[in-house]
Amino acid sequence: MGIIEIENLKIYYKTVKGYVKAVENVSFNIEKGETMGLVGESGCGKTTIGMSIMRLLPRNAKIIGGKIIFEGEDLIKKREEEMEKIRWKEISMIFQAAMNALNPVYKIENQILEAIYAHENISKKEAVERVSRLYSLVGIDPRRAKEYPHEYSGGMKQRAVIAMALACNPKFIIADEPTTALDVMVQDQIISEIKEIQKKLQMTMMYISHDISVIAETCKRIGVMYAGGIVEYADAIPLFKKPLHPYTKALMNSFPSIKGEKKKLTPVPGEPPNLLNPPSGCRFHPRCSKAKSLCRKKAPKFVEYQHRHFVACHYVG
Amino acid sequence: MSLRRYTVMRFIQLLVTFFIVMTLIFILFRLMPGDPGVFLISPKMSEAAKETIREQFGLTKSIPEQYIFFIKNTLKGEFGDSFYYGRPVKDILFEKILNSIVLFTFGAILAYAIGMTIGKIIAWKRGSKTDTFFTMVGLGFWTFFPPWLGLILIWIFSYRLDLFPLGGMITPDVWAFNPTLSQKIIDFLHHLALPLMAYVLMWFAGSMLIMRNSMLETLREDYILTAKAKGLKDKVVRDKHAARNAMLPVVTSFSMSIAFSFGGGVLIETVFSWPGIGRTIVDVTLLQDYPLAQASFMVITLAVLIANFAADIVYAYLDPRVKY
Amino acid sequence: MKIIRGKSKTWDLFIKSTLGKVGLGLLITFAIMAVLSPIWIARNPQIYDPLTGKDPNVFGSIPPTMAHPLGTDQLGRDLLSQLLKGSQIAFLVGISVGVFSTSIGTLIGLISGYYRGKIEIVLMRLTDIVMTLPLLPLLIVISGIFGRKDIRMIVLVLSLAGWTLAARVIRSQTLTLKERPYIESARVSGASNMRIIFKHIAPNILPLTFLYMTIGVTYAILTEAGLGFLGLSDPTISSWGMMLQWCFMSGYTFKALYWMIPPGLCISALALSFYLVGYAMEEIVNPRLRER
Ligand SMILES: Nc1ncnc2c1ncn2[C@@H]1O[C@H](COP(=O)(O)OP(=O)(O)OP(=O)(O)O)[C@@H](O)[C@H]1O
Ligand SMILES: [Mg+2]
């Protein structure tokens, strides 16, 4: 039993050109204390999954089917008022564009306090103390909490956003590309910061990134996503040792290895598909070197090929 | 730079601008055809009076000296005597300004409060019937010709329904016979109602449409998503996060449109016979009462500058990012 | 090439916008009125001239009849003639002020945004100052000083005072455009400043220029009408503002709605039509306003 279980999730965006089939039959679960990494090319639907868990999808998005079970209850069935209580208190989020995630006209401390007060009935003194502690935890001088966002550097804003995500001791945190907007040096600092906090707080997390090396560094369990679907889901070590899906293999060749081995990088050949009109059958088949006629016709099932190692491919192995 | 220093700097800028406008007026009036000083000396004046004026305003001296006289007199509030009233201009103006300020301030505050509230609500419900309705109404009122709007209001509410007086600020009959304070206030408010309504209808649309657009832009910002993700109530997200930021462009546009709004004020005061500075400048121009016209224009400009200054300070106060 | 594609796409979006269509429809209606004006008057200038005509059979203002579809004013002049002529005048004033003021604003915006430095500071201070001039009172005073009320002078003053908003917006747009890579590459390849401004930057701010022109037209129409209503516009022409003033001054305001309604309605509707065209344009020029 995971803390969060997603079953056959299917989300479309309605646009003037038709439906963007952004998430198609996605299933996975995350156990308590585990950090799950969701990796895939830009536009494959990672943010859409994250937002659907918070129930904060844009107005033109529609959850066509599936379940999002959080602690045994389906979030899709919750009323808006019930969701308001769950957001941040139970599930919080570190946003993709942290640079702009803070309201420019309020002091950062007040923005964190606001989240605390929305969910907990505690005294101002306690709350302010908690903000100080959070600031120390993410590595900013607590005295700077009373400043405005524009007085912070990019890295500091990102840390403040992380502090804010931790403010109510959530059971589950979704981190959507928390470092993409930062330069490489700061990126590394933030990642090690997150790793340390992970260790200290034992939190459950979903870490979204398009960079498999970042995911490898931070996550125990990894879901590889392609064009709206999860194609492979496994523990990090077996996945890296023996990737099963052709896309996973291609993806690994396209990023520098974390261990720093010298290897020739080959980008995944071909273009990511247009989700308005995704390819038939297995969505990866136009870019797959091993594709056969079956791949064009029939979408492969997502099966547990080995213990805790799921894959969606007709020709595994 | 601190807010205080910014205020001081901005104030200096106000003074400089006012000087430039004064210079402009100085030049304009000296371009007037006819004898030098026609704009200060009425043909009806006695020779002695004419001499005093020439003396006081240095009219026999060279142009640069006249300019110095002019600046000094303006700063002292000496604008000569009104041709028409025969009294010093400053006494007449003071009363007129007060009348205008009352109407203008109430009108602006009400209009902006209403406009911004509706704008924020319809942006939140964008695409709904309410949104479409108010946007249409707003667009209609925004380009409504002000005096025509005034006439229609008078026609409906005074002429047909007989609810309000046709114009003016007080009923002389009521004020002649020692009225109580409350009688005075009621009479005044009774007269205030229609021109105020005209102001509000004329101005709410602008602030509403700008607020709506500004909200639509703000609602796409990531910090709005953050606010929602924090589990804040919709109303808190809308008012505390979106509207607070969306307000900023409205303040800017207020500051930029204030001079134009004064034009509308002149027309409304004329239609409603409101004894304010706007109506005065029209009347005295038609009466060729130049000293009063000149002073009225300077006072109106000064009012615009002060309103502008105030709006900029409010903006700096509202937006911590302002780089002074 | 890029620009041409942009233009036709803008046009497509524009034609899809309901508000844009309404605005354009109104504009065309008024244009037709302006064109019909000489035809209507030419039938019998002695009766139908908007200023000097007089129907000998009419005494005082009369409500609509067959001969005078909108009635006459207190001097027996045909109101329809005045209304049609007024459309001509409004277009003339609105469009000339719109074009002049926006040209000035665009030029000042381009120059201050492109050259920065001292030029920018001076021009922007100038903009601030002109922006705080209360235009209608200024025009009132000027008409008093010179005693002569001339429509050309009104157009001139409106143009010289109405460019500020456009200048500000175009300056900031120029600032961002200047940083684009293709401008940089044009500069590196040795294009002169003038060439960069007019060949590379100006075409890209054209939609904005057009947008501010519609706003300029709206404001010119309303201000000229305001002057007319105050009796301070050119007495040798008959504009809508003056029609309303004659009605107001002759004491017919509430007795003759056939007289009071049409000019005000026309002023408001023509101003609205230009504003609507601009509003529809803004939704296109600024895609952030569009629904996702
Ligand atoms: N509001 C929307 N309307 C229509 N389509 C959308 C919308 N938001 C996202 N999409 C489309 O849905 C697909 C998935 O988008 P999503 O943002 O979830 O991708 P992502 O994996 O997070 O990408 P990235 O790594 O770039 O953040 C994309 O094809 C995107 O174009
Ligand atoms: Mg994303």
Side-chain angles (χ1 to χ4, degrees):
Chain A
M1 253 281 283
I3 188 166
I4 196 141
E5 290 171 47
I6 293 190
E7 287 171 29
N8 289 322
L9 188 63
K10 193 168 178 166
I11 303 169
Y12 289 2
Y13 288 104
K14 194 178 171 186
T15 68
V16 280
K17 294 200 200 103
Y19 286 97
V20 175
K21 300 165 191 74
V23 173
E24 194 84 71
N25 289 327
V26 162
S27 305
F28 61 87
N29 59 5
I30 303 174
E31 249 129 75
K32 203 162 158 44
E34 197 173 70
T35 301
M36 181 259 191
L38 193 59
V39 65
E41 286 167 314
S42 178
C44 68
K46 306 180 296 289
T47 300
T48 308
I49 293 182
M51 287 301 179
S52 69
I53 298 173
M54 295 292 276
R55 284 267 310 275
L56 283 175
L57 288 166
R59 303 207 305 173
N60 63 333
K62 190 155 171 42
I63 300 180
I64 306 288
K67 288 181 182 155
I68 300 172
I69 313 274
F70 175 73
E71 297 198 307
E73 287 177 55
D74 190 355
L75 294 183
I76 294 174
K77 297 213 178 80
K78 295 258 182 226
R79 281 178 295 120
E80 184 59 23
E81 302 86 76
E82 293 175 295
M83 276 315 295
E84 271 168 16
K85 295 207 181 80
I86 291 172
R87 290 186 192 130
W88 226 253
K89 178 76 199 137
E90 311 281 329
I91 307 173
S92 77
M93 192 153 183
I94 302 167
F95 285 101
Q96 182 161 5
M99 294 303 100
N100 309 317
L102 295 164
N103 192 329
V105 302
Y106 295 116
K107 292 179 181 144
I108 295 174
E109 181 180 62
N110 291 339
Q111 299 190 44
I112 302 180
L113 289 176
E114 176 186 50
I116 300 176
Y117 292 146
H119 299 286
E120 291 173 46
N121 213 342
I122 64 173
S123 73
K124 172 137 197 234
K125 191 162 159 282
E126 263 177 283
V128 171
E129 256 164 37
R130 187 187 303 174
V131 175
S132 285
R133 253 184 296 124
L134 288 167
Y135 259 58
S136 310
L137 184 70
V138 298
I140 323 178
D141 182 350
R143 277 170 302 183
R144 299 200 58 177
K146 285 191 170 54
E147 287 178 16
Y148 288 100
H150 72 276
E151 296 169 283
Y152 276 28
S153 70
M156 283 172 70
K157 272 189 224 170
Q158 188 62 61
R159 287 163 200 260
V161 166
I162 295 172
M164 187 153 84
L166 298 172
C168 296
N169 275 320
K171 298 192 177 113
F172 180 53
I173 296 182
I174 303 166
D176 190 354
E177 311 247 18
T179 60
T180 319
L182 304 168
D183 64 57
V184 187
M185 289 282 290
V186 187
Q187 239 177 49
D188 286 346
Q189 288 171 14
I190 300 279
I191 289 173
S192 40
E193 204 74 66
I194 291 179
K195 271 165 65 178
E196 211 157 286
I197 296 169
Q198 260 173 1
K199 230 187 275 156
K200 250 190 234 165
L201 305 182
Q202 286 296 313
M203 58 190 180
T204 316
M205 204 166 158
M206 180 162 103
Y207 194 107
I208 297 176
S209 177
H210 64 275
D211 185 338
I212 198 160
S213 51
V214 170
I215 293 283
E217 238 184 293
T218 42
C219 303
K220 279 245 291 289
R221 203 161 159 72
I222 297 174
V224 179
M225 206 173 165
Y226 182 79
I230 290 196
V231 293
E232 189 162 359
Y233 188 46
D235 288 326
I237 296 164
L239 187 82
F240 278 97
K241 273 208 182 119
K242 193 166 176 285
L244 294 175
H245 197 278
Y247 177 66
T248 316
K249 290 176 193 163
L251 196 64
M252 284 179 182
N253 287 333
S254 70
F255 275 95
S257 153
I258 10 140
K259 293 176 205 96
E261 303 165 28
K262 294 252 155 52
K263 196 165 70 173
K264 202 163 159 270
L265 296 181
T266 42
V268 185
E271 291 280 312
N274 182 348
L275 295 183
L276 269 170
N277 237 328
S280 62
C282 170
R283 284 184 175 184
F284 187 58
H285 84 257
R287 293 169 82 185
C288 182
S289 54
K290 301 198 182 92
K292 303 209 167 64
S293 66
L294 176 63
C295 302
R296 251 190 309 276
K297 288 187 200 118
K298 198 164 159 266
K301 283 215 179 68
F302 191 55
V303 290
E304 191 161 11
Y305 183 73
Q306 283 156 5
H307 177 60
R308 281 171 67 81
H309 197 143
F310 296 79
V311 65
C313 180
H314 291 301
Y315 302 99
V316 188
Chain B
M1 206 192 291
S2 66
L3 189 59
R4 184 180 305 158
R5 265 196 70 195
Y6 173 70
T7 311
V8 172
M9 294 291 289
R10 188 61 190 69
F11 188 73
I12 293 170
Q13 195 185 324
L14 184 161
L15 292 181
V16 171
T17 313
F18 189 59
F19 254 87
I20 294 173
V21 175
M22 277 201 301
T23 311
L24 180 78
I25 293 173
F26 177 81
I27 296 169
L28 267 181
F29 275 86
R30 250 137 276 252
L31 288 176
M32 224 174 123
D35 299 334
V38 274
F39 49 91
L40 283 170
I41 299 171
S42 161
K44 284 179 283 185
M45 286 178 182
S46 70
E47 266 314 311
K50 283 181 184 172
E51 205 42 52
T52 325
I53 298 277
R54 287 202 187 95
E55 198 69 11
Q56 191 186 356
F57 291 85
L59 291 177
T60 50
K61 302 227 163 63
S62 69
I63 292 285
E65 280 171 299
Q66 283 189 33
Y67 181 67
I68 309 275
F69 266 95
F70 169 77
I71 299 286
K72 273 192 197 152
N73 280 316
T74 305
L75 294 182
K76 277 189 280 179
E78 289 299 342
F79 300 104
D81 285 353
S82 157
F83 293 175
Y84 179 72
Y85 296 95
R87 286 193 286 141
V89 164
K90 58 180 171 192
D91 300 352
I92 302 167
L93 275 187
F94 184 69
E95 177 195 314
K96 307 278 184 196
I97 296 164
L98 273 186
N99 296 343
S100 282
I101 288 178
V102 171
L103 182 56
F104 193 91
T105 317
F106 273 130
I109 291 174
L110 261 180
Y112 273 77
I114 293 173
M116 281 162 74
T117 310
I118 301 178
K120 136 186 127 182
I121 292 170
I122 60 179
W124 190 255
K125 297 186 186 167
R126 58 201 172 281
S128 67
K129 285 212 179 76
T130 331
D131 178 23
T132 318
F133 173 76
F134 277 105
T135 308
M136 294 295 155
V137 170
L139 285 169
F141 275 113
W142 182 226
T143 54
F144 225 99
F145 184 42
W148 192 53
L149 174 65
L151 289 178
I152 287 177
L153 289 180
I154 297 175
W155 181 66
I156 297 174
F157 292 102
S158 306
Y159 192 76
R160 301 309 303 258
L161 301 178
D162 203 16
L163 289 174
F164 299 105
L166 281 164
M169 198 171 78
I170 50 168
T171 318
D173 292 353
V174 173
W175 289 56
F177 302 105
N178 283 327
T180 62
L181 182 65
S182 63
Q183 273 175 319
K184 280 185 181 174
I185 291 175
I186 287 171
D187 184 54
F188 174 73
L189 291 179
H190 198 205
H191 283 81
L192 183 71
L194 270 193
L196 194 64
M197 196 194 296
Y199 264 142
V200 170
L201 288 177
M202 200 165 69
W203 287 338
F204 89 97
S207 55
M208 182 187 90
L209 293 171
I210 295 166
M211 184 68 177
R212 176 177 176 274
N213 279 1
S214 171
M215 276 289 276
L216 288 185
E217 293 201 13
T218 309
L219 287 174
R220 304 182 143 206
E221 297 283 353
D222 292 314
Y223 55 77
I224 298 300
L225 202 59
T226 312
K228 282 188 197 158
K230 284 200 276 192
L232 303 178
K233 299 243 175 308
D234 266 9
K235 241 182 120 154
V236 179
V237 177
R238 185 189 74 189
D239 296 349
K240 192 175 161 195
H241 288 273
R244 174 67 173 69
N245 280 279
M247 243 167 88
L248 296 170
V250 183
V251 177
T252 309
S253 91
F254 172 79
S255 156
M256 290 200 297
S257 66
I258 189 111
F260 186 66
S261 309
F262 272 61
V266 169
L267 295 166
I268 293 290
E269 286 188 2
T270 304
V271 172
F272 288 96
S273 319
W274 188 264
I277 186 103
R279 185 173 163 232
T280 306
I281 196 170
V282 175
D283 288 349
V284 299
T285 303
L286 292 171
L287 293 167
Q288 300 183 316
D289 185 346
Y290 300 117
L292 197 46
Q294 180 188 347
S296 305
F297 182 71
M298 267 194 270
V299 165
I300 291 179
T301 312
L302 190 62
V304 173
L305 290 177
I306 291 173
N308 217 282
F309 167 76
D312 284 0
I313 300 301
V314 168
Y315 190 97
Y317 177 77
L318 287 177
D319 189 350
R321 285 164 301 180
V322 171
K323 285 192 223 83
Y324 306 124
Chain C
M1 169 60 199
K2 201 167 96 204
I3 295 152
I4 292 168
R5 201 191 314 132
K7 240 189 226 160
S8 69
K9 198 174 142 229
T10 308
W11 177 249
D12 282 353
L13 281 169
F14 183 83
I15 254 341
K16 280 209 195 90
S17 143
T18 317
L19 290 177
K21 266 186 286 199
V22 172
L24 215 56
L26 275 172
L27 267 188
I28 292 171
T29 314
F30 282 110
I32 293 174
M33 280 176 64
V35 171
L36 285 182
S37 161
I39 303 173
W40 178 255
I41 296 168
R43 298 188 319 152
N44 188 347
Q46 268 167 3
I47 295 178
Y48 288 108
D49 186 279
L51 282 172
T52 57
K54 177 172 176 15
D55 191 333
N57 304 321
V58 167
F59 302 96
S61 174
I62 57 156
T65 61
M66 282 304 277
H68 303 285
L70 289 180
T72 71
D73 70 4
Q74 87 282 20
L75 300 174
R77 299 181 296 191
D78 185 53
L79 288 176
L80 183 60
S81 290
Q82 292 180 354
L83 204 71
L84 296 179
K85 188 75 190 170
S87 183
Q88 260 185 13
I89 303 292
F91 266 109
L92 204 72
V93 172
I95 293 186
S96 21
V97 172
V99 170
F100 291 147
S101 63
T102 318
S103 308
I104 301 174
T106 305
L107 207 62
I108 290 188
L110 274 173
I111 291 175
S112 55
Y114 187 79
Y115 288 106
R116 313 288 322 253
K118 284 211 183 71
I119 296 184
E120 185 189 24
I121 294 174
V122 170
L123 288 179
M124 283 300 114
R125 268 294 97 82
L126 180 70
T127 311
D128 287 346
I129 291 171
V130 175
M131 195 171 263
T132 49
L133 280 181
L135 198 57
L136 192 63
L138 178 68
L139 278 164
I140 293 170
V141 168
I142 289 180
S143 80
I145 292 176
F146 296 105
R148 191 166 48 95
K149 294 144 197 158
D150 185 339
I151 193 75
R152 280 166 301 188
M153 189 198 66
I154 294 171
V155 168
L156 183 75
V157 175
L158 284 173
S159 305
L160 287 180
W163 50 269
T164 51
L165 203 59
R168 272 201 182 184
V169 176
I170 284 167
R171 171 185 153 268
S172 58
Q173 187 68 12
T174 308
L175 286 180
T176 49
L177 281 174
K178 219 181 116 184
E179 305 302 324
R180 297 274 168 87
Y182 65 91
I183 302 292
E184 193 53 46
S185 63
R187 202 174 354 228
V188 171
S189 65
S192 70
N193 284 336
M194 279 297 136
R195 197 184 152 78
I196 295 176
I197 293 181
F198 289 104
K199 262 296 265 226
H200 297 282
I201 298 183
N204 283 300
I205 54 166
L206 214 60
L208 259 188
T209 304
F210 193 74
L211 168 65
Y212 280 89
M213 198 164 85
T214 62
I215 295 176
V217 173
T218 308
Y219 117 107
I221 290 173
L222 289 174
T223 310
E224 192 277 329
L227 267 182
F229 177 76
L230 297 174
L232 294 169
S233 189
D234 193 332
T236 63
I237 55 166
S238 95
S239 69
W240 289 332
M242 297 175 91
M243 278 179 80
L244 200 58
Q245 194 234 358
W246 290 326
C247 177
F248 188 52
M249 285 319 218
S250 60
Y252 276 91
T253 316
F254 306 121
K255 282 182 271 172
L257 288 185
Y258 56 86
W259 187 359
M260 190 264 266
I261 299 290
L265 189 65
C266 284
I267 297 166
S268 308
L270 185 59
L272 176 68
S273 64
F274 277 103
Y275 191 76
L276 282 182
V277 169
Y279 190 85
M281 288 246 348
E282 188 174 8
E283 296 209 320
I284 296 160
V285 178
N286 182 356
R288 307 228 295 151
L289 296 178
R290 241 178 294 152
E291 263 287 348
R292 280 196 277 207

